[in-house]
Amino acid sequence: MSKTYHVNFADRMGAALFIALLRVGVKIGTMSLLTVRGRKSGQPYTVLVLLVEQDEERWLVAPYGAVQWVRNIRAAGTATLTRGRRSEAISVTELPAQEAAPVLKQYLLLPVSAGVRSYFDATKDSPLEAFELEAARHPVFRITPMESQQTNF
């Protein structure tokens, strides 16, 4: 049985370190900063995310389930991805389970995803059918750039 997500001090310190590194432009795999407006407050919230990239397509995976950024991006449909001084406005579309399954499997194959594997019932060697079941607990979003709103600071 998979774990339930609870943030502890070590998680916060690790995330703060990665966020600081990404803000100064250090490239760490496919890690990026996702900024999305709160669905109730309207305030921007920034979280660390690990993108899945393949054949010039990109996806956001919610390894901890329907946490706040997932609820906010479902409501907003748009967000900003940032790495260093490069910022990109994006829109997202949530994938159905059948389309999300191969992305979830690929996510677990990423070396930097080792820390989140315990939140999945499926393992990196599981068949796609197991990942279809995971899709209900781990939403996947297809990223589409909003070309006219790309900015470079």
Side-chain angles (χ1 to χ4, degrees):
M1 180 139 178
S2 60
K3 292 178 10 181
T4 303
Y5 181 63
H6 296 286
V7 179
N8 60 36
F9 180 74
D11 292 335
R12 287 186 183 166
M13 293 305 295
L17 173 64
F18 283 119
I19 288 170
L21 290 170
L22 288 168
R23 283 196 169 137
V24 297
V26 175
K27 185 173 181 180
I28 307 167
T30 61
M31 281 188 192
S32 294
L33 299 177
L34 176 75
T35 302
V36 62
R37 294 245 174 241
R39 63 194 180 284
K40 294 179 183 176
S41 69
Q43 296 298 311
Y45 292 96
T46 301
V47 295
L48 185 65
V49 293
L50 181 61
L51 305 179
V52 175
E53 298 177 338
Q54 182 178 7
D55 299 329
E56 297 188 28
E57 284 198 74
R58 297 177 300 164
W59 297 272
L60 277 171
V61 173
Y64 307 115
V67 293
Q68 292 300 326
W69 75 260
V70 173
R71 293 180 188 111
N72 290 337
I73 207 163
R74 280 176 173 159
T78 61
T80 303
L81 284 175
T82 306
R83 188 183 296 162
R85 293 183 176 188
R86 179 160 168 71
S87 211
E88 174 187 21
I90 62 167
S91 64
V92 297
T93 306
E94 191 166 354
L95 300 180
Q98 193 171 12
E99 290 179 46
V103 177
L104 287 169
K105 184 166 185 154
Q106 187 176 348
Y107 183 85
L108 287 188
L109 292 172
L110 295 172
V112 291
S113 72
V116 299
R117 290 183 187 142
S118 61
Y119 295 96
F120 288 78
D121 289 330
T123 66
K124 60 183 181 176
D125 300 320
S126 296
L128 281 180
E129 293 77 24
F131 287 96
E132 284 184 33
L133 297 173
E134 291 284 351
R137 294 182 322 118
H138 303 283
V140 176
F141 300 88
R142 176 178 289 113
I143 297 171
T144 306
M146 296 171 63
E147 299 292 335
S148 62
Q149 295 183 18
Q150 280 191 346
T151 57
N152 289 314
F153 295 97

